[in-house]
Amino acid sequence: MSAGGGGNDVQWCFSQVKGAIDDDVAEADIISTVEFNHSGELLATGDKGGRVVIFQQETENKSQPQCRSEYNVYSTFQSHEPEFDYLKSLEIEEKINKIRWLPQKNAAQFLLSTNDKTIKLWKISERDKRPEGYNLKEEDGRYRDAATITTLRVPVFRPMDLMVEASPRRVFVNGHTYHINSISVNSDNETYLSADDLRINLWHLEITDRSFNVVDIKPANMEELTEVITAAEFHPHQCNTFVYSSSKGTIRLCDMRASALCDKHSKLFEEPEDPSNRSFFSEIISSISDVKFSHNGRYMMTRDYLSVKIWDLNMENRPVETYQVHEYLRSKLCSLYENDCIFDKFECCWNGNDSVVMTGSYNNFFRMLDRSQRRDVTLEASRESCKARQVLKPRRVCAGGKRKKDEISVDSLDFNKKILHTAWHPQENIIAVATTNNLYIFQEKVN
Amino acid sequence: MAGAEGDDSLYPIAVLIDELRNEDVQLRLNSIKKLSTIALALGVERTRTELLPFLTDTIYDEDEVLLALAEQLGSFTVLVGGPEFVHCLLPPLESLATVEETVVRDKAVESLRKISQEHSPVDLEVHFVPLVKRLASGDWFTSRTSACGLFGVCYPRVSIMTHTFESTLITAVMHFRTLCSDDTPMVRRAASSKLGEFAKVLELDYVKSDIIPLFTALASDEQDSVRLLAVEAGVSIAALLPQEDLEDLVMPTLRQAAEDKSWRVRYMVADKFSELQKAVGPEITKNDLVPAFQNLLKDCEAEVRTAAANKVKVFCESLPEDSRETIIMTHILPCVKELVSDTNQHVKSALASVIMGLSTILGKDNTVEHLLPLFLVQLKDEYPEVRLNIISNLDCVNEVIGIRQLSQSLLPAIVELAEDAKWRVRLAIIEYMPLLAGQLGVEFFDEKLNSLCMAWLIDHVYAIREAATCNLMKLVEKFGAEWAQNTIVPKVLGMANDSNYLHRMTTLFCINALSEVCGQEITTKHMLPVVLKMSTDQVANVRFNVARCLQKIGPVLDSSALQAEVKPVLEKLATDQDMDVKYFALEAISGMYLFNLPTYIFSETFSFSSILFFFFSFSLSP
């Protein structure tokens, strides 16, 4: 298999769908984040109900190669509970905003999960032995007569059915006044950053009671506030570099070597605005909803409302590539503003060798953008194509004029069905796509 | 001992063993902490064959339990049958050395290091060395980091005793080299932090040929966190090398670290500067470290300047005597002058905490001419912490030039701090009052500072009032009872008529603190009447504090005053309407063993206070 390459030559086929099939969606079941671990063996989702579900890839089965990418539930746990901040009279939702896996350090797996305020470090470990043998009681709990004890018994460990346990190891609290939108683990594997609307903090993974503020854009007078932080991420290899994006469509790259406080960025990535496209909505749609470094660390990708841009870290004045995600919506911005869809925060992701990027759209469509061939394709995550190994057909939206056969008109798109969160297996062509409350897993068709 | 028929003594041990797997962490923890008792009851044989295998598998437990276990196993040698069997402890410690929790791993390594000393050379080679190798080549970084800490202890002993001297060392170095170039930064960090220790146990030739390249590589690692730990290793290695090799082998790398792109690495250099100075000796200090230190004091990152500023005094003190003054005057002092007006408050505050120390090094004339202006600038600094740090170190200057030189500037600084809006600042300055009073003398104090000390007594923050009371006591200790009677006692007693009950209580608290230092006469003549008068205060809090106060000053009073004046008042308070007043009055009475209590008091209150007393004494008894 071509290590995550291939791009649009890949034929995607349905593999699995997770979640309830019926049409009423419980608010708590709405998926709010999706993330593969570093080996791709585990896939975690977080939802609005504060739960984290981890799926594990089945080990390769020689007789059924097509089952290679089957992911089954490995562990489910309640990561966050709803809380109430009595001092500020604020409800704190349990919704999981982000999940980040830590590189594996021993037999157990670790991940960070965060809601608006609190970040937690979870350990997911397996147990296949349990102790047996008591002195004062039987294994079933009945007490023995103490007088009959003539010798001491030391308990012994016996094999048992595999049990997966999730336990909270650290709780990082009180670091944020505003809502946390991103967390990102540093390549030194001992620190991570967390970003809220106005500040970015640096934490040590073993220290929960303090963090260092590295970026603070809060103006002295909140009325002068013009810009908020929308996402932040560490460079995959350079421990001193991180970027953060803003609601104004700019990305700042900071060097933690230069100084302890990174209020002064070392690079500012910004594309000059095209005056012909200027409108009431310009600023809203230029707000960056996600920023991701490529695996090789040379590029970064940003997602704004209508497009995906790829930036070379060495070129600040414009992106090297720009892809329209759903340009046909430009004429619909007015109604998208009215139904608040214009504020949707779409995420984006790279494939394993950085040759293809993926991002979501409305009507349960998601887009695959092939960088080398400059080709793109729209696919749909829908119940209709839920047959095993069924190949996904490309979808086309009619941008105006006469609608051709197989095309869907813009007006018939369902804006309640949106794909905000997607994830790509770090090595293989396996993707996870979250529709509202379902998780679809697609894989490359194997002939 | 185990096996005795129907032995009652088995029961508690049986409970302990069962609690090793209790649901409640606290019970498991208690049980683990008594592991030696269990082992003793089981005997060495069963400890080895049953208990240790069980413990080896318990690595799923909570950190605190594992931590306790790792610690226990370090002193378990006797319980498994002595040095002959000490290797039985290796399996459980090996599994503990791979858990993710750093504290547990470190403790397991510490215990492994401890028991390595109890291995015979042969056992060390047969059991311990393979364990280190296993950990060093483990799949997970946790085991490899643990290995880094074990090379230093086991190889010197192996190599001395056995014929395979050379090869063992070479394998050790080889393993360590692999760890230094590990893929994960965590292992490289562990290797970096243990490199100095490993170097210490090696022959000098090996240090030069093998450790130096590793050090150089780690010091130019791409990860800042690895490089900054290499600085410490560099200091240890420098201390091992003869003077003539330093320049070629470590100085280029250390120089590079002092100018590293990452401020965290430069910070580390600044932080380790005194150790470094000691390790490289006077010549290199003069030629290399002085310019490096100047650069650190001028660093663009405030954190680095802060760390360097903290070292100014120690660095100057340890300069070679012959050129100390010249170096300070021409190289260090100009930088220090700049730091005094630094933009960052932490830098200035770090400097303020050490700058006074320079006066002893530079002597009277230089202090007056060069340092005094700097002290004066810092005394007027906008940040209270800077001013406080100067004031708290006044004693250094006092020895050299006398505090009077400063008093003109000192006073406004103190007054300003005394009235600072932040109560913590006020608290800090109060704590320096006795020291200042001692150095400035009683006249100056009476004239300028006395009113401040009295003002603190009516501060709106309790912590300040409390500290102010304590301050008065210390002042009286310094200036004597007569001074107290003339200056502060009248003011304190005057507050007893204040309309604010908190101020009235302050009077009582002051009397509590002052009675002993003021002595019997003042206490009986002046204080006692006021206290007794307050027993009819309308606020219950004041009344029960009268009871507590009487108990407190009782030992200072003479017995006639006790019987004639204190007793009736306490008896009256013991029948007070208020429960607390009653309670404290009774406590005062019994605390002073004064009287035979009239029975009517008992009939009314015995049940209540006896229960309280019961609990009180219960909670105190171990």
Side-chain angles (χ1 to χ4, degrees), chain B residues 503-524:
Chain B
H503 297 170
R504 298 202 294 278
M505 290 207 318
T506 306
T507 300
L508 292 172
F509 297 146
C510 286
I511 291 174
N512 286 344
L514 292 176
S515 62
E516 201 172 323
V517 281
C518 286
Q520 194 183 64
E521 199 194 327
I522 298 178
T523 310
T524 318

PDB file of all heavy atoms in Angstrom, chain B residues 503-524:
ATOM      1  N   HIS B 503     -10.711  46.808  67.558  1.00  0.00           N
ATOM      2  CA  HIS B 503      -9.587  47.523  68.151  1.00  0.00           C
ATOM      3  C   HIS B 503      -9.473  47.207  69.628  1.00  0.00           C
ATOM      4  O   HIS B 503      -8.382  47.074  70.173  1.00  0.00           O
ATOM      5  CB  HIS B 503      -9.744  49.031  67.939  1.00  0.00           C
ATOM      6  CG  HIS B 503      -9.738  49.414  66.477  1.00  0.00           C
ATOM      7  ND1 HIS B 503     -10.054  50.659  66.025  1.00  0.00           N
ATOM      8  CD2 HIS B 503      -9.461  48.678  65.372  1.00  0.00           C
ATOM      9  CE1 HIS B 503      -9.973  50.689  64.704  1.00  0.00           C
ATOM     10  NE2 HIS B 503      -9.634  49.479  64.286  1.00  0.00           N
ATOM     11  N   ARG B 504     -10.627  47.082  70.290  1.00  0.00           N
ATOM     12  CA  ARG B 504     -10.590  46.708  71.713  1.00  0.00           C
ATOM     13  C   ARG B 504      -9.943  45.340  71.870  1.00  0.00           C
ATOM     14  O   ARG B 504      -9.168  45.096  72.774  1.00  0.00           O
ATOM     15  CB  ARG B 504     -12.013  46.695  72.295  1.00  0.00           C
ATOM     16  CG  ARG B 504     -12.701  48.075  72.254  1.00  0.00           C
ATOM     17  CD  ARG B 504     -13.818  48.182  73.273  1.00  0.00           C
ATOM     18  NE  ARG B 504     -14.955  47.306  73.026  1.00  0.00           N
ATOM     19  CZ  ARG B 504     -15.955  47.571  72.166  1.00  0.00           C
ATOM     20  NH1 ARG B 504     -15.950  48.697  71.463  1.00  0.00           N
ATOM     21  NH2 ARG B 504     -16.948  46.723  72.024  1.00  0.00           N
ATOM     22  N   MET B 505     -10.265  44.434  70.938  1.00  0.00           N
ATOM     23  CA  MET B 505      -9.646  43.101  71.018  1.00  0.00           C
ATOM     24  C   MET B 505      -8.145  43.185  70.771  1.00  0.00           C
ATOM     25  O   MET B 505      -7.373  42.429  71.349  1.00  0.00           O
ATOM     26  CB  MET B 505     -10.289  42.158  70.012  1.00  0.00           C
ATOM     27  CG  MET B 505     -11.700  41.833  70.432  1.00  0.00           C
ATOM     28  SD  MET B 505     -12.324  40.262  69.877  1.00  0.00           S
ATOM     29  CE  MET B 505     -11.790  40.108  68.257  1.00  0.00           C
ATOM     30  N   THR B 506      -7.737  44.115  69.902  1.00  0.00           N
ATOM     31  CA  THR B 506      -6.307  44.272  69.643  1.00  0.00           C
ATOM     32  C   THR B 506      -5.559  44.599  70.939  1.00  0.00           C
ATOM     33  O   THR B 506      -4.461  44.111  71.169  1.00  0.00           O
ATOM     34  CB  THR B 506      -6.063  45.367  68.589  1.00  0.00           C
ATOM     35  OG1 THR B 506      -6.824  45.047  67.442  1.00  0.00           O
ATOM     36  CG2 THR B 506      -4.608  45.460  68.213  1.00  0.00           C
ATOM     37  N   THR B 507      -6.177  45.420  71.771  1.00  0.00           N
ATOM     38  CA  THR B 507      -5.581  45.702  73.071  1.00  0.00           C
ATOM     39  C   THR B 507      -5.283  44.399  73.812  1.00  0.00           C
ATOM     40  O   THR B 507      -4.192  44.192  74.336  1.00  0.00           O
ATOM     41  CB  THR B 507      -6.544  46.555  73.926  1.00  0.00           C
ATOM     42  OG1 THR B 507      -6.786  47.761  73.231  1.00  0.00           O
ATOM     43  CG2 THR B 507      -5.950  46.847  75.291  1.00  0.00           C
ATOM     44  N   LEU B 508      -6.278  43.519  73.817  1.00  0.00           N
ATOM     45  CA  LEU B 508      -6.104  42.246  74.526  1.00  0.00           C
ATOM     46  C   LEU B 508      -4.977  41.421  73.895  1.00  0.00           C
ATOM     47  O   LEU B 508      -4.161  40.836  74.591  1.00  0.00           O
ATOM     48  CB  LEU B 508      -7.406  41.455  74.512  1.00  0.00           C
ATOM     49  CG  LEU B 508      -8.546  42.070  75.342  1.00  0.00           C
ATOM     50  CD1 LEU B 508      -9.841  41.326  75.094  1.00  0.00           C
ATOM     51  CD2 LEU B 508      -8.192  42.045  76.828  1.00  0.00           C
ATOM     52  N   PHE B 509      -4.958  41.392  72.569  1.00  0.00           N
ATOM     53  CA  PHE B 509      -3.909  40.607  71.898  1.00  0.00           C
ATOM     54  C   PHE B 509      -2.528  41.184  72.203  1.00  0.00           C
ATOM     55  O   PHE B 509      -1.567  40.444  72.390  1.00  0.00           O
ATOM     56  CB  PHE B 509      -4.133  40.577  70.379  1.00  0.00           C
ATOM     57  CG  PHE B 509      -5.413  39.911  69.976  1.00  0.00           C
ATOM     58  CD1 PHE B 509      -6.141  40.342  68.883  1.00  0.00           C
ATOM     59  CD2 PHE B 509      -5.901  38.830  70.714  1.00  0.00           C
ATOM     60  CE1 PHE B 509      -7.320  39.724  68.515  1.00  0.00           C
ATOM     61  CE2 PHE B 509      -7.090  38.206  70.345  1.00  0.00           C
ATOM     62  CZ  PHE B 509      -7.806  38.664  69.246  1.00  0.00           C
ATOM     63  N   CYS B 510      -2.455  42.514  72.258  1.00  0.00           N
ATOM     64  CA  CYS B 510      -1.173  43.134  72.579  1.00  0.00           C
ATOM     65  C   CYS B 510      -0.747  42.767  73.991  1.00  0.00           C
ATOM     66  O   CYS B 510       0.425  42.472  74.237  1.00  0.00           O
ATOM     67  CB  CYS B 510      -1.275  44.657  72.490  1.00  0.00           C
ATOM     68  SG  CYS B 510      -1.341  45.239  70.814  1.00  0.00           S
ATOM     69  N   ILE B 511      -1.706  42.793  74.897  1.00  0.00           N
ATOM     70  CA  ILE B 511      -1.369  42.455  76.283  1.00  0.00           C
ATOM     71  C   ILE B 511      -0.880  41.005  76.363  1.00  0.00           C
ATOM     72  O   ILE B 511       0.099  40.699  77.030  1.00  0.00           O
ATOM     73  CB  ILE B 511      -2.586  42.709  77.202  1.00  0.00           C
ATOM     74  CG1 ILE B 511      -2.822  44.214  77.285  1.00  0.00           C
ATOM     75  CG2 ILE B 511      -2.375  42.105  78.587  1.00  0.00           C
ATOM     76  CD1 ILE B 511      -4.064  44.622  78.035  1.00  0.00           C
ATOM     77  N   ASN B 512      -1.566  40.118  75.622  1.00  0.00           N
ATOM     78  CA  ASN B 512      -1.100  38.724  75.565  1.00  0.00           C
ATOM     79  C   ASN B 512       0.373  38.663  75.207  1.00  0.00           C
ATOM     80  O   ASN B 512       1.147  37.921  75.787  1.00  0.00           O
ATOM     81  CB  ASN B 512      -1.858  37.953  74.485  1.00  0.00           C
ATOM     82  CG  ASN B 512      -3.273  37.649  74.901  1.00  0.00           C
ATOM     83  OD1 ASN B 512      -3.595  37.746  76.089  1.00  0.00           O
ATOM     84  ND2 ASN B 512      -4.114  37.301  73.951  1.00  0.00           N
ATOM     85  N   ALA B 513       0.741  39.464  74.183  1.00  0.00           N
ATOM     86  CA  ALA B 513       2.093  39.387  73.672  1.00  0.00           C
ATOM     87  C   ALA B 513       3.082  40.111  74.576  1.00  0.00           C
ATOM     88  O   ALA B 513       4.239  39.704  74.691  1.00  0.00           O
ATOM     89  CB  ALA B 513       2.140  39.979  72.263  1.00  0.00           C
ATOM     90  N   LEU B 514       2.625  41.174  75.211  1.00  0.00           N
ATOM     91  CA  LEU B 514       3.566  42.054  75.912  1.00  0.00           C
ATOM     92  C   LEU B 514       3.784  41.700  77.377  1.00  0.00           C
ATOM     93  O   LEU B 514       4.800  42.056  77.950  1.00  0.00           O
ATOM     94  CB  LEU B 514       3.086  43.507  75.824  1.00  0.00           C
ATOM     95  CG  LEU B 514       3.135  44.148  74.430  1.00  0.00           C
ATOM     96  CD1 LEU B 514       2.534  45.538  74.472  1.00  0.00           C
ATOM     97  CD2 LEU B 514       4.570  44.199  73.921  1.00  0.00           C
ATOM     98  N   SER B 515       2.798  41.018  77.998  1.00  0.00           N
ATOM     99  CA  SER B 515       2.862  40.849  79.450  1.00  0.00           C
ATOM    100  C   SER B 515       4.189  40.230  79.894  1.00  0.00           C
ATOM    101  O   SER B 515       4.809  40.700  80.842  1.00  0.00           O
ATOM    102  CB  SER B 515       1.687  40.001  79.938  1.00  0.00           C
ATOM    103  OG  SER B 515       1.778  38.715  79.352  1.00  0.00           O
ATOM    104  N   GLU B 516       4.622  39.223  79.193  1.00  0.00           N
ATOM    105  CA  GLU B 516       5.825  38.528  79.628  1.00  0.00           C
ATOM    106  C   GLU B 516       7.063  39.423  79.534  1.00  0.00           C
ATOM    107  O   GLU B 516       7.848  39.512  80.475  1.00  0.00           O
ATOM    108  CB  GLU B 516       6.017  37.260  78.806  1.00  0.00           C
ATOM    109  CG  GLU B 516       6.915  36.266  79.512  1.00  0.00           C
ATOM    110  CD  GLU B 516       6.937  34.948  78.764  1.00  0.00           C
ATOM    111  OE1 GLU B 516       5.880  34.551  78.242  1.00  0.00           O
ATOM    112  OE2 GLU B 516       8.016  34.346  78.691  1.00  0.00           O
ATOM    113  N   VAL B 517       7.205  40.099  78.359  1.00  0.00           N
ATOM    114  CA  VAL B 517       8.402  40.927  78.197  1.00  0.00           C
ATOM    115  C   VAL B 517       8.364  42.170  79.081  1.00  0.00           C
ATOM    116  O   VAL B 517       9.405  42.715  79.434  1.00  0.00           O
ATOM    117  CB  VAL B 517       8.636  41.343  76.726  1.00  0.00           C
ATOM    118  CG1 VAL B 517       9.258  40.210  75.951  1.00  0.00           C
ATOM    119  CG2 VAL B 517       7.373  41.841  76.071  1.00  0.00           C
ATOM    120  N   CYS B 518       7.144  42.635  79.418  1.00  0.00           N
ATOM    121  CA  CYS B 518       7.063  43.830  80.250  1.00  0.00           C
ATOM    122  C   CYS B 518       7.252  43.528  81.742  1.00  0.00           C
ATOM    123  O   CYS B 518       7.605  44.404  82.524  1.00  0.00           O
ATOM    124  CB  CYS B 518       5.710  44.522  80.078  1.00  0.00           C
ATOM    125  SG  CYS B 518       5.597  45.375  78.511  1.00  0.00           S
ATOM    126  N   GLY B 519       6.969  42.300  82.115  1.00  0.00           N
ATOM    127  CA  GLY B 519       7.218  41.905  83.502  1.00  0.00           C
ATOM    128  C   GLY B 519       6.021  42.126  84.409  1.00  0.00           C
ATOM    129  O   GLY B 519       5.014  42.732  84.021  1.00  0.00           O
ATOM    130  N   GLN B 520       6.171  41.624  85.642  1.00  0.00           N
ATOM    131  CA  GLN B 520       5.039  41.577  86.562  1.00  0.00           C
ATOM    132  C   GLN B 520       4.505  42.964  86.934  1.00  0.00           C
ATOM    133  O   GLN B 520       3.301  43.181  86.951  1.00  0.00           O
ATOM    134  CB  GLN B 520       5.472  40.834  87.827  1.00  0.00           C
ATOM    135  CG  GLN B 520       4.298  40.427  88.687  1.00  0.00           C
ATOM    136  CD  GLN B 520       4.768  39.768  89.955  1.00  0.00           C
ATOM    137  OE1 GLN B 520       5.428  40.375  90.799  1.00  0.00           O
ATOM    138  NE2 GLN B 520       4.430  38.495  90.089  1.00  0.00           N
ATOM    139  N   GLU B 521       5.416  43.862  87.164  1.00  0.00           N
ATOM    140  CA  GLU B 521       4.971  45.146  87.695  1.00  0.00           C
ATOM    141  C   GLU B 521       4.055  45.878  86.706  1.00  0.00           C
ATOM    142  O   GLU B 521       2.940  46.270  87.041  1.00  0.00           O
ATOM    143  CB  GLU B 521       6.186  46.008  88.031  1.00  0.00           C
ATOM    144  CG  GLU B 521       5.789  47.134  88.992  1.00  0.00           C
ATOM    145  CD  GLU B 521       6.877  48.187  89.067  1.00  0.00           C
ATOM    146  OE1 GLU B 521       8.064  47.835  88.942  1.00  0.00           O
ATOM    147  OE2 GLU B 521       6.511  49.374  89.225  1.00  0.00           O
ATOM    148  N   ILE B 522       4.533  46.037  85.502  1.00  0.00           N
ATOM    149  CA  ILE B 522       3.729  46.744  84.504  1.00  0.00           C
ATOM    150  C   ILE B 522       2.430  45.992  84.245  1.00  0.00           C
ATOM    151  O   ILE B 522       1.342  46.583  84.164  1.00  0.00           O
ATOM    152  CB  ILE B 522       4.513  46.912  83.188  1.00  0.00           C
ATOM    153  CG1 ILE B 522       5.758  47.749  83.442  1.00  0.00           C
ATOM    154  CG2 ILE B 522       3.646  47.540  82.106  1.00  0.00           C
ATOM    155  CD1 ILE B 522       6.633  47.936  82.229  1.00  0.00           C
ATOM    156  N   THR B 523       2.529  44.675  84.155  1.00  0.00           N
ATOM    157  CA  THR B 523       1.345  43.887  83.857  1.00  0.00           C
ATOM    158  C   THR B 523       0.298  44.057  84.950  1.00  0.00           C
ATOM    159  O   THR B 523      -0.879  44.322  84.669  1.00  0.00           O
ATOM    160  CB  THR B 523       1.710  42.403  83.715  1.00  0.00           C
ATOM    161  OG1 THR B 523       2.801  42.294  82.818  1.00  0.00           O
ATOM    162  CG2 THR B 523       0.545  41.588  83.176  1.00  0.00           C
ATOM    163  N   THR B 524       0.723  43.930  86.193  1.00  0.00           N
ATOM    164  CA  THR B 524      -0.243  44.006  87.291  1.00  0.00           C
ATOM    165  C   THR B 524      -0.795  45.418  87.448  1.00  0.00           C
ATOM    166  O   THR B 524      -1.997  45.620  87.607  1.00  0.00           O
ATOM    167  CB  THR B 524       0.406  43.572  88.624  1.00  0.00           C
ATOM    168  OG1 THR B 524       1.210  42.441  88.377  1.00  0.00           O
ATOM    169  CG2 THR B 524      -0.646  43.242  89.656  1.00  0.00           C
TER     170      THR B 524
END
